[in-house]
Amino acid sequence: MEHNTRAAFIRQMLKDERSIEPSPEFSYKAHLKSRQDYDELYRRSLTDPDAFWGDMAERHLDWYRSWDAVEEYDFDAPRPFVRYFRGGQLNASYNCIDRHLDGPRRNKAALIWQGEPSEEVEVFTYQRLHREVCKAANVLKSLGVQRGDRVVLYLPMIPQLAIAMLACARIGAVHCVVFSGLSAEALKDRIDDSGARVVVTANFGYRSGKILRIKGVCDQALAECPQVKTCLVVRRIEKRTTMEPERDVWWDDLTATASPACEPERMEANEPLFVLYTSGSTAKPKGIVHGTGGYLLYATLTMKYVFDLKETDIHWCTADAGWITGHSYIVYGPLASGATSLMFEGVPNYPKPDRFWEVVEKFGVNLLYTAPTVVRSLMREGERWTCTHDLSSLRLLGSVGEPITAKAWLWYYSAIGQGRCPVADTWWQTETGGVMITTLPGAVDMKPGSAALPFFGVEPKVVRSDGTPAALGEPGSLVVTRPWPGMMQGVHGNEQAFKDVYFPTPGRYVTGDGAYCDEDGYFWITGRIDDVINVSGHRLGTAEIESALVSCAEVAEAAVVGCPHPVKGEGIYAYVTLHEGVVVSDELRIQLASHVREVIGPIARPDVVHFAKALPKTRSGKIMRRILRKIAAHQTEDLCDISTLSEPSVVADLIRENERLS
Ligand code: WT7
């Protein structure tokens, strides 16, 4: 489409199209061809979940032993629990690799890896992946890792990350991937909490042409983790690396002599597959525990229906495998489906803003799954970066991480998908394991900005603060009233948190998001309603950032809120009060922001540090975040009720300083 026509097209759509039908060509070939197809399966998944999931599990996964019960749960109990396929036995790595080796998929590309340097590409066929995973599994065993042990993986986006995950799964060890952009302190906390004795890392990494000292950060963390006996180091870049002789071993050295055969462990369906840490409203991140059978089935089934996966597709999920999106849609979903998954080490705008489109063209990517923040930032670069590339291989576009605005949606749909590809918005969370609410492509009409309809087995509801159902169009809290197979099974080492955080009132899982439902049953997600902010699709607990700030000697008190940001979705706005006698300066502002970066990682660096004389509090001493959020967003006309404030003059001071800062 020509630029002018496209601009007119977008304007037209924004004006009078409330919904867009999937193209007949797409629907004709899709797994779900119509709204009726979806409705039927969805209804069956709710009326007879045992039959539905039992049947799906038989058809989509390979089992050593069948289960004794399909779905068991109690959301009302003092200790809520959820279980799928009790007594069933399977192995996730077997399902992701071995079972594809008998037929034509043996020589199919399982993983295509594109390094940041464009000449670095590796292709792992299923056969090659099998060898590599078996070797790594044997190495882990030789280091004493046993079934049930946790292993921390602090690795950048290199194939060894996927290989190490699958190697853990093969021997029944529980991987805990820590995003390689997190700081030494964050890594140390996660190693401690997980109880891991073995850590896998890489000597260096690349980011935007710069070399990252990954092992250096890891060393800093390990200096305070004497319980870690072994650190396995992948040689990503040929460059001098300091090794601790008692503790550090090279991945290359050990895998070179390891046997390429390793029998997979037979795991009970509810034994943990992995722990993944995520931020919440508490100062400490929580280790979300996912089981084996339910999770793998859910990742596989959503892969098939949400992305309309076909045998010949090249699927590219641009997330880092250090987040749940990468776990489910770079590794487990695609590989359990026997698909080809593309793993990319680089970033969207290096060396130039057309890197993504170059990769799409180079590999003929069919399914592209990315985040609204990426769409917005590339949209700003303009179409001169997209029009020089052949994007005709694209068949479907996915979006995840935060609400996608209608404008970004339409740009994605028209400039990238050229009006041919359905856009599947996908709402879900680390805790949910896989996609929960989505625009089932081919089957349902798309409404730009709406995450659309629930996936099979998912029963979301919007409720008011008193728990009663919200009316159509009325925003409320998004909850889920029954379990689904991808659901988290608990919080690692903290049973109480599972109940307190997710089941504060009995009977339903609380997501922490706000939403409303329209007259067609479409869900519109409005964003977090708890103390979590969403920066470029990354979830950050405000309490975590606050605790990093108050760990500075100068800081007396801190309150962090999200503020609107054109590219990142939300920015980080930190209100800080200082101890008596500390002098306010721009250096101190930078120092505090850098300190947060050090403690948590670059993504947590505050955009604004606002020095305040005092914070607005209720008479009982609770910080009024609602007011702080409004001031940060410059919405000061309607501060509503400030009558409960102990000192109303505080607010005027804050508004004045906010105006000065912007
Ligand atoms: C939070 C979960 C697994 C997804 C990647 C992030 C927000 C996610 C959407 C969407 C609106 C979304 C929610 C959610 N979110 N996807 N399509 N539309 N909001 O996983 O780090 O666990 O964060 O991301 O607020 O609760 P996560």
Side-chain angles (χ1 to χ4, degrees):
M1 219 184 290
E2 281 304 308
H3 179 76
N4 283 343
T5 354
R6 181 147 53 232
F9 171 77
I10 292 184
R11 263 197 308 278
Q12 178 80 8
M13 288 231 184
L14 277 174
K15 231 181 350 213
D16 48 44
E17 292 278 345
R18 295 242 15 248
S19 66
I20 299 169
E21 279 176 26
S23 79
E25 303 87 79
F26 188 96
S27 297
Y28 178 69
K29 296 187 199 143
H31 291 302
L32 297 174
K33 299 186 198 317
S34 64
R35 176 70 194 248
Q36 199 187 344
D37 280 3
Y38 161 76
D39 285 342
E40 246 164 52
L41 278 170
Y42 182 64
R43 198 172 324 114
R44 204 156 79 78
S45 73
L46 293 189
T47 50
D48 195 353
D50 282 1
F52 182 84
W53 293 117
D55 182 36
M56 289 295 182
E58 252 165 47
R59 283 199 279 148
H60 290 87
L61 297 179
D62 280 17
W63 299 79
Y64 299 117
R65 180 190 187 278
S66 187
W67 45 86
D68 303 316
V70 174
E71 180 183 276
E72 296 165 306
Y73 75 101
D74 191 342
F75 282 3
D76 293 314
R79 296 175 167 191
F81 75 90
V82 53
R83 242 188 336 250
Y84 278 90
F85 309 116
R86 173 168 50 80
Q89 290 176 357
L90 77 167
N91 181 283
S93 122
Y94 179 90
N95 274 280
C96 288
I97 312 173
D98 304 49
R99 64 171 172 153
H100 308 308
L101 297 179
D102 288 342
R105 282 181 184 157
R106 185 165 69 106
N107 293 316
K108 176 176 177 176
L111 206 61
I112 300 177
W113 176 74
Q114 169 66 67
E116 179 167 290
S118 124
E119 67 283 3
E120 289 196 49
V121 175
E122 289 252 17
V123 178
F124 293 82
T125 60
Y126 275 96
Q127 188 166 240
R128 178 174 177 209
L129 188 62
H130 181 257
R131 278 179 71 84
E132 302 293 338
V133 168
C134 285
K135 285 199 224 168
N138 284 324
V139 168
L140 291 174
K141 274 193 193 169
S142 74
L143 299 174
V145 177
Q146 293 178 357
R147 184 182 177 128
D149 289 351
R150 271 82 55 211
V151 177
V152 166
L153 310 180
Y154 185 67
L155 285 161
M157 281 286 278
I158 54 177
Q160 288 82 358
L161 174 49
I163 291 168
M165 289 165 76
L166 292 163
C168 288
R170 196 161 187 92
I171 63 173
V174 179
H175 57 72
C176 313
V177 181
V178 176
F179 172 56
S180 64
L182 292 188
S183 70
E185 199 166 325
L187 174 59
K188 176 202 170 282
D189 287 347
R190 286 155 178 77
I191 295 173
D192 279 346
D193 186 89
S194 72
R197 307 253 182 244
V198 172
V199 172
V200 186
T201 191
N203 63 347
F204 296 97
Y206 282 118
R207 193 178 168 86
S208 306
K210 290 197 263 313
I211 290 182
L212 300 177
R213 295 171 45 254
I214 296 186
K215 171 77 164 39
V217 177
C218 191
D219 283 345
Q220 226 179 310
L222 291 181
E224 288 170 61
C225 299
Q227 75 279 17
V228 173
K229 299 296 175 227
T230 314
C231 178
L232 190 56
V233 186
V234 177
R235 200 189 312 266
R236 167 68 188 98
I237 298 177
E238 278 302 336
K239 194 167 146 58
R240 236 187 81 89
T241 308
T242 332
M243 298 287 275
E244 190 73 46
E246 298 285 288
R247 188 194 67 198
D248 302 347
V249 280
W250 287 109
W251 168 285
D252 286 359
D253 291 351
L254 299 194
T255 51
T257 53
S259 154
C262 174
E263 199 51 37
E265 285 284 315
R266 297 175 176 219
M267 307 302 289
E268 198 275 337
N270 297 286
E271 282 184 80
L273 178 60
F274 64 85
V275 171
L276 188 59
Y277 287 86
T278 192
S279 306
S281 33
T282 52
K284 284 257 169 263
K286 299 179 296 289
I288 305 301
V289 182
H290 281 287
T292 306
Y295 169 81
L296 195 63
L297 176 64
Y298 201 72
T300 310
L301 215 63
T302 47
M303 186 70 228
K304 173 172 172 181
Y305 289 105
V306 175
F307 300 97
D308 191 47
L309 180 71
K310 300 286 163 54
E311 188 63 46
T312 53
D313 279 334
I314 301 218
H315 168 70
W316 181 20
C317 164
T318 71
D320 193 286
W323 309 114
I324 189 72
T325 313
H327 279 56
S328 300
Y329 301 110
I330 296 176
V331 181
Y332 290 110
L335 299 181
S337 314
T340 300
S341 178
L342 178 71
M343 185 177 191
F344 175 54
E345 186 187 29
V347 297
N349 55 1
Y350 178 84
K352 300 233 171 59
D354 64 346
R355 188 69 202 275
F356 265 28
W357 318 127
E358 184 192 294
V359 172
V360 166
E361 182 173 9
K362 178 169 174 181
F363 296 100
V365 169
N366 306 108
L367 316 174
L368 175 67
Y369 191 29
T370 195
T373 181
V374 172
V375 174
R376 282 194 301 271
S377 72
L378 296 177
M379 175 169 76
R380 291 183 135 211
E381 301 286 349
E383 277 159 46
R384 72 192 170 102
W385 298 105
T386 59
C387 65
T388 49
H389 294 281
D390 179 3
L391 304 179
S392 62
S393 61
L394 289 172
R395 206 163 67 68
L396 176 127
L397 305 171
S399 173
V400 63
E402 52 174 316
I404 181 163
T405 52
K407 190 174 167 202
W409 193 102
L410 287 164
W411 186 80
Y412 199 26
Y413 181 72
S414 60
I416 305 308
Q418 296 160 349
R420 272 183 304 108
C421 311
V423 171
D425 189 4
T426 63
W427 175 87
W428 58 297
Q429 311 178 293
T430 305
E431 292 87 341
T432 71
V435 173
M436 298 285 279
I437 299 182
T438 183
T439 333
L440 278 307
V444 311
D445 292 356
M446 299 169 273
K447 298 190 188 188
S450 167
L453 300 171
F455 190 70
F456 308 143
V458 176
E459 203 168 30
K461 290 259 167 5
V462 180
V463 298
R464 303 187 177 121
S465 48
D466 64 3
T468 57
L472 284 185
E474 179 189 341
S477 155
L478 183 66
V479 301
V480 189
T481 56
R482 53 177 348 286
W484 61 97
M487 186 178 189
M488 67 186 289
Q489 295 196 316
V491 176
H492 181 70
N494 192 348
E495 200 178 15
Q496 197 58 40
F498 187 46
K499 163 137 188 62
D500 295 349
V501 176
Y502 301 104
F503 301 95
T505 50
R508 54 188 180 227
Y509 167 84
V510 171
T511 68
D513 277 313
Y516 64 90
C517 195
D518 72 13
E519 63 282 7
D520 299 321
Y522 277 52
F523 286 86
W524 298 73
I525 312 295
T526 53
R528 298 292 303 201
I529 48 175
D530 54 6
D531 293 330
V532 170
I533 47 187
N534 189 328
V535 181
S536 301
H538 296 311
R539 187 166 143 181
L540 290 164
T542 52
E544 248 177 282
I545 306 174
E546 288 160 6
S547 105
L549 284 165
V550 295
S551 71
C552 287
E554 294 86 353
V555 175
E557 205 176 18
V560 170
V561 298
C563 61
H565 188 285
V567 173
K568 299 199 272 185
E570 272 187 294
I572 303 173
Y573 195 110
Y575 293 89
V576 169
T577 62
L578 299 169
H579 284 298
E580 258 324 294
V582 178
V583 183
V584 167
S585 69
D586 281 341
E587 289 75 59
L588 183 60
R589 212 184 291 285
I590 294 167
Q591 183 197 323
L592 296 185
S594 309
H595 178 75
V596 176
R597 184 179 200 271
E598 280 292 299
V599 174
I600 305 172
I603 43 174
R605 188 179 204 283
D607 296 275
V608 182
V609 175
H610 174 141
F611 291 122
K613 280 204 252 23
L615 298 176
K617 293 192 182 165
T618 60
R619 288 190 196 98
S620 60
K622 221 170 157 293
I623 295 177
M624 297 183 79
R625 290 165 183 282
R626 180 178 55 81
I627 293 180
L628 294 178
R629 271 194 284 269
K630 293 232 154 154
I631 296 173
H634 312 299
Q635 291 169 353
T636 46
E637 319 75 54
D638 54 341
L639 276 182
C640 321
D641 185 17
I642 52 171
S643 59
T644 49
L645 268 179
S646 62
E647 270 181 87
S649 70
V650 167
V651 171
D653 287 346
L654 290 174
I655 295 176
R656 218 169 303 124
E657 177 64 6
N658 168 267
E659 281 165 0
R660 203 186 63 78
L661 283 172
S662 50

